[in-house]
Amino acid sequence: MLSFLKIRNLALVEDVTWELAAGLVGVTGETGAGKSIIVGALKLILGERADRSLIRNGQDACTVEASFHLKDTRAIDAVLEEAGLEPCQDGELLIKRTISTSGANRQFVNCSPVTIQVLKSLGEFLVDLHGPHDHQSLHSRERQLEMLDKFTGIEELLGKYQDAWKQWRAVVTELDELENSERASSQQIDMLKFQANEIAVANLKAGEEEEIESRHRIAANGARLAELCGAITSRLSEGEGSVIDGLREISRSLHELEKIDPGTAAMFEGFKSAQIELTELESSVADYAGDLEIDPAELDKLEGRIHTIQTLKRKYGRSIAEILEFLAETERKLAKMENRGEEIAKLQKLVKEREVEVMKLGKQISKKRADSAPKLAKEVASHLIDLGFKRSVFEAQLANLPSPEKCGLEEVDFHFAPNPGEPSKPLRLTASSGEMSRVLLAVKSALAKQDAVPLLVFDEIDANVGGNIAEAVGRKMAALGATHQVIAITHFPQVASLARSHFVVTKEITGNTTRSQIQEVSADERIEELARMLGGSAASAREHAKSLLKGAAK
């Protein structure tokens, strides 16, 4: 369950820490007091889009923290593991989100930074939130099918079917592309052959471009290299005043110095090494110059090779490696097109094999859905009776699809007749908004045992119903509170009186500052809040409030 919700600087809330209990939690308060902020804070925790206009006036950021205590953390741990996070410890999950005016928003799970997508993934397993218009989800056949499948308990089987369906559709798509978009025309084959031949004739080698450019640089600058070598050897060893002749004179002087003072020998070891190295340098440069060949034909050949490589790069890739990859892909396409008949036959066989598996799993799902649809309808109908529809009709009608789809071999359409004597029609065409809210609650009640989401939030879904019906709605929420934590934000005292714990949202105005607070009420304070909601004279309203609490305790 949600054990606490801490909100700072969100809309009218300055700083609120809300500690919650299990079961049905009622939230009431006057219109405009700030009850909707609770829903807004939960939506931020669930990863919904942040609106910076919600940041409290005069503040730079708002923060929402939520702590969940979970009995079964397997689904949550799987999401955390995929995000590279540690699993929950002792069933505790802490989520924090900060929204700032500068746009530097941050979110954390168990004190580790995460992406918004991680919050959304976690939210699917934590909170099921229903607002005044969320009953419209019942209009969707896709959503209706999800509800039936949850009631049927075929998640694992449906997962196997969807994997098989994806594999089947992938092969169907490949076959269609081969038969249509990649139909082998003579022009296409000729183009592919030309491209493959142009690359193959060049006989490219991986890494040769660098080698050729180096050789070309030397060949193109042969005269300058020879000139530089000549200048070096001339300065080192040719003519009067050459470096090596000068070193010989210095060497003779050093020998004479050493004879006179043997102690100076160690000072000149470096000179001897330098003389040897410079002599070897002169020899190496002379050998290098002797090997230089200025061959115009070789230069033309290298330039031609560079031109060929550059031409291929402009057409087929930014490097020789990419050109060779293009060649391999072209040869694969060519082989596929030239052997199109064999490839089509192979794919046609694979399509049939995978379609057989899809139909096998699909028929298993169809049977389970067909068995469960009337059971779900009967279960929902029984809850509808409790909610004031004494003689309504509810049906879950299945209809076969023309071909296998991701959802299976059929779709479902909920039909409803709120009054006796009327034919049942699609729910989206028959129910008013008040009726749809009750139908949603009936479906939720029917799915209570299968629904693993621990927290259900109903934000004024009891709108547009009468007082007697509101009490029935409250009792149904209270019944859901036996297996889930349920937060009911309501204007009806009949609903609030049935809550295990009751919180009131109030608005305080001090000078030019407005603050919303939330506090738990019990005993006389709870009677006063219910009396306020009932209206009428103070004495009669309090007596009515007491009778509601007394009736709720039965």
Side-chain angles (χ1 to χ4, degrees):
M1 67 176 192
L2 176 65
S3 56
F4 80 78
L5 182 67
K6 184 176 179 62
I7 308 171
R8 293 191 62 189
N9 298 324
L10 179 64
L12 297 179
V13 173
E14 185 176 61
D15 192 349
V16 164
T17 299
W18 185 25
E19 296 184 6
L20 292 84
L24 176 59
V25 179
V27 180
T28 63
E30 294 183 357
T31 300
K35 298 186 297 297
S36 61
I37 295 174
I38 294 171
V39 175
L42 285 173
K43 286 183 176 180
L44 289 177
I45 289 296
L46 300 179
E48 292 201 13
R49 187 179 66 86
D51 185 352
R52 287 193 289 275
S53 66
L54 292 176
I55 298 174
R56 184 172 172 80
N57 187 38
Q59 300 298 319
D60 296 328
C62 68
T63 302
V64 179
E65 296 180 60
S67 177
F68 294 88
H69 182 73
L70 308 169
K71 291 181 179 180
D72 185 350
T73 64
R74 287 175 294 181
I76 295 296
D77 287 344
V79 175
L80 296 179
E81 182 180 358
E82 186 175 348
L85 304 176
E86 293 293 323
C88 294
Q89 297 296 322
D90 300 323
E92 293 294 331
L93 180 72
L94 179 65
I95 298 177
K96 179 179 179 179
R97 189 170 180 193
T98 299
I99 312 299
S100 70
T101 54
S102 65
N105 303 333
R106 296 175 297 169
Q107 44 280 331
F108 303 85
V109 172
N110 291 339
C111 300
S112 297
V114 298
T115 63
I116 286 295
Q117 187 55 50
V118 171
L119 294 191
K120 290 181 178 179
S121 299
L122 290 172
E124 294 177 3
F125 298 101
L126 293 172
V127 182
D128 197 351
L129 198 155
H130 299 281
H133 305 292
D134 284 351
H135 54 68
Q136 294 176 0
S137 64
L138 285 176
H139 291 172
S140 165
R141 290 187 179 184
E142 181 179 351
R143 181 70 179 124
Q144 292 176 9
L145 190 60
E146 290 177 7
M147 293 175 177
L148 173 59
D149 287 346
K150 183 173 289 187
F151 182 83
T152 307
I154 56 172
E155 287 85 355
E156 185 176 349
L157 179 59
L158 185 60
K160 291 180 180 178
Y161 168 85
Q162 289 176 340
D163 287 342
W165 182 83
K166 290 176 184 176
Q167 293 175 15
W168 170 61
R169 288 305 309 169
V171 180
V172 169
T173 300
E174 189 176 356
L175 178 60
D176 288 344
E177 288 177 352
L178 187 58
E179 289 180 332
N180 300 310
S181 63
E182 291 188 7
R183 191 169 299 279
S185 65
S186 59
Q187 292 93 336
Q188 286 176 307
I189 292 176
D190 289 345
M191 174 59 73
L192 291 174
K193 284 183 176 180
F194 171 80
Q195 291 174 332
N197 182 68
E198 185 177 27
I199 298 172
V201 166
N203 194 26
L204 298 176
K205 301 286 189 305
E208 73 166 305
E209 187 174 10
E210 293 79 4
E211 179 188 351
I212 290 172
E213 287 179 349
S214 176
R215 289 169 55 193
H216 176 266
R217 193 163 49 250
I218 293 172
N221 294 280
R224 178 56 178 162
L225 291 172
E227 180 182 344
L228 291 171
C229 288
I232 293 169
T233 56
S234 175
R235 189 74 182 90
L236 284 172
S237 62
E238 297 176 5
E240 290 186 13
S242 68
V243 172
I244 291 177
D245 284 346
L247 290 174
R248 290 193 185 103
E249 292 180 7
I250 294 171
S251 179
R252 285 193 291 271
S253 297
L254 290 176
H255 279 299
E256 186 175 347
L257 180 62
E258 186 179 346
K259 287 178 182 179
I260 297 171
D261 184 1
T264 61
M267 296 171 53
F268 310 123
E269 290 297 329
F271 171 80
K272 294 175 183 178
S273 298
Q275 186 178 21
I276 293 171
E277 289 178 4
L278 286 172
T279 302
E280 290 178 351
L281 172 63
E282 188 274 337
S283 176
S284 298
V285 171
D287 291 343
Y288 176 80
D291 292 338
L292 285 174
E293 295 183 4
I294 303 176
D295 185 351
E298 175 67 11
L299 181 59
D300 289 344
K301 180 180 177 182
L302 291 171
E303 288 178 346
R305 186 61 172 171
I306 290 174
H307 175 74
T308 298
I309 293 173
Q310 293 299 325
T311 300
L312 295 177
K313 283 171 66 176
R314 283 194 298 271
K315 291 183 177 181
Y316 306 119
R318 293 170 296 180
S319 65
I320 288 179
E322 288 188 10
I323 295 170
L324 294 175
E325 287 178 9
F326 183 91
L327 173 61
E329 178 65 15
T330 301
E331 290 175 338
R332 187 192 69 79
K333 288 181 180 179
L334 193 57
K336 188 174 180 179
M337 297 178 88
E338 290 179 332
N339 299 288
R340 181 169 166 271
E342 295 178 10
E343 187 69 19
I344 287 177
K346 176 183 174 183
L347 290 175
Q348 287 174 337
K349 180 181 178 183
L350 190 55
V351 165
K352 290 180 180 179
E353 290 174 354
R354 294 190 176 177
E355 186 176 10
V356 168
E357 180 65 14
V358 168
M359 294 303 297
K360 175 185 173 183
L361 294 170
K363 287 177 181 178
Q364 293 178 29
I365 291 173
S366 297
K367 184 179 185 309
K368 290 183 179 293
R369 284 173 174 169
D371 292 341
S372 293
K375 295 177 183 178
L376 173 62
K378 183 178 179 180
E379 184 78 12
V380 172
S382 69
H383 291 290
L384 286 171
I385 292 174
D386 298 337
L387 291 168
F389 294 104
K390 301 301 182 183
R391 297 176 62 186
S392 65
V393 175
F394 184 88
E395 298 174 318
Q397 297 186 4
L398 295 170
N400 292 330
L401 293 168
S403 62
E405 297 292 344
K406 185 179 181 180
C407 63
L409 307 182
E410 58 278 312
E411 61 182 357
V412 70
D413 198 3
F414 289 170
H415 281 230
F416 181 60
N419 303 306
E422 297 179 354
S424 64
K425 296 179 182 179
L427 185 61
R428 59 188 175 277
L429 302 179
T430 57
S432 65
S433 59
E435 290 170 336
M436 286 291 283
S437 296
R438 284 183 279 167
V439 173
L440 173 65
L441 188 54
V443 173
K444 278 292 173 185
S445 299
L447 296 173
K449 293 180 181 178
Q450 291 81 16
D451 196 345
V453 176
L455 173 60
L456 305 178
V457 180
F458 295 104
D459 181 15
E460 298 184 4
I461 72 158
D462 49 12
N464 302 316
V465 300
N468 292 334
I469 299 302
E471 182 179 355
V473 168
R475 292 195 177 278
K476 194 60 64 178
M477 289 183 186
L480 280 172
T483 54
H484 297 69
Q485 185 185 37
V486 180
I487 297 175
I489 300 173
T490 180
H491 284 293
F492 277 94
Q494 293 89 341
V495 174
S497 66
L498 291 160
R500 182 181 296 182
S501 54
H502 184 173
F503 293 84
V504 178
V505 179
T506 57
K507 183 169 62 176
E508 299 176 354
I509 300 175
T510 305
N512 294 323
T513 303
T514 304
R515 298 181 180 87
S516 288
Q517 298 288 337
I518 184 168
Q519 62 181 18
E520 186 172 8
V521 293
S522 59
D524 290 343
E525 289 180 334
R526 189 173 188 186
I527 292 173
E528 290 298 324
E529 172 62 12
L530 293 175
R532 179 198 65 78
M533 298 172 74
L534 286 163
S537 66
S540 62
R542 279 195 295 271
E543 289 303 315
H544 192 178
K546 291 178 182 178
S547 67
L548 285 178
L549 290 173
K550 185 176 180 180
K554 292 181 180 179

